[in-house]
Amino acid sequence: MSTILRTLRNLRRIGLKDYGHQMQYIGDTKAGTLIGTDRWGNKYFENLAEELPLRTRWVDYKDKEFDASHIEPGWHAWISYLVDKPPKDDPILQTGVRAWEQKSHRANPTLSRSAYKPYSTTKPKINTWEPVASSRI
């Protein structure tokens, strides 16, 4: 949460449309420079002058249903402060899609129907009780 003066200052800088978008999806107003866009359309911003430490970088997801797994590995390293340069400026991170990476993004399937569910091949240690009703006369 930010102060009223900071919110009004950012409203003046980013405009009413982006203000509504940020309040809907981020819950805060942020004004900064666009650093880059990844191959899935996510936009990455930075503001070193006015933001709190370790809150100077943020991502604006393209989709409304976003997940942290929608960030590419190079951009994840930048947004987590593991590297100083964004992937477009860092020669090590400019390698693109590596041979072992997936060509298209696959979201994290945890807590969905496509999640990995192991099955057991051993005999269960607990047997369920099945009631047997005797016939009445």
Side-chain angles (χ1 to χ4, degrees):
M1 193 67 190
S2 61
T3 63
I4 294 175
L5 291 175
R6 181 177 172 272
T7 302
L8 292 175
R9 182 179 62 234
N10 288 337
L11 172 63
R12 183 176 52 87
R13 287 182 185 169
I14 62 176
L16 197 59
K17 180 181 176 187
D18 285 336
Y19 171 80
H21 175 77
Q22 286 183 3
M23 290 303 289
Q24 178 73 29
Y25 296 110
I26 300 175
D28 192 12
T29 58
K30 291 181 174 276
T33 58
L34 177 67
I35 300 299
T37 306
D38 64 3
R39 60 182 162 176
W40 296 306
N42 300 326
K43 298 176 185 175
Y44 297 89
F45 295 92
E46 184 175 35
N47 184 354
L48 296 173
E50 299 169 356
E51 294 294 327
L52 295 172
L54 298 178
R55 295 188 66 190
T56 59
R57 299 173 181 172
W58 67 94
V59 59
D60 184 14
Y61 293 97
K62 180 184 176 189
D63 298 329
K64 294 178 182 168
E65 297 293 327
F66 55 87
D67 184 16
S69 66
H70 290 127
I71 298 178
E72 289 183 355
W75 284 106
H76 179 268
W78 178 79
I79 208 162
S80 300
Y81 300 95
L82 298 175
V83 294
D84 292 331
K85 297 178 186 176
K88 64 178 186 159
D89 297 336
D90 196 353
I92 295 173
L93 297 176
Q94 282 185 354
T95 56
V97 179
R98 296 165 186 92
W100 48 268
E101 281 185 8
Q102 297 176 355
K103 302 299 181 218
S104 63
H105 175 67
R106 196 178 93 191
N108 186 358
T110 304
L111 296 176
S112 67
R113 294 188 69 186
S114 60
Y116 173 72
K117 295 178 185 79
Y119 63 94
S120 177
T121 58
T122 61
K123 184 178 177 182
K125 295 178 182 178
I126 300 173
N127 296 328
T128 57
W129 177 65
E130 296 179 14
V132 179
S134 60
S135 61
R136 296 187 177 206
I137 305 176

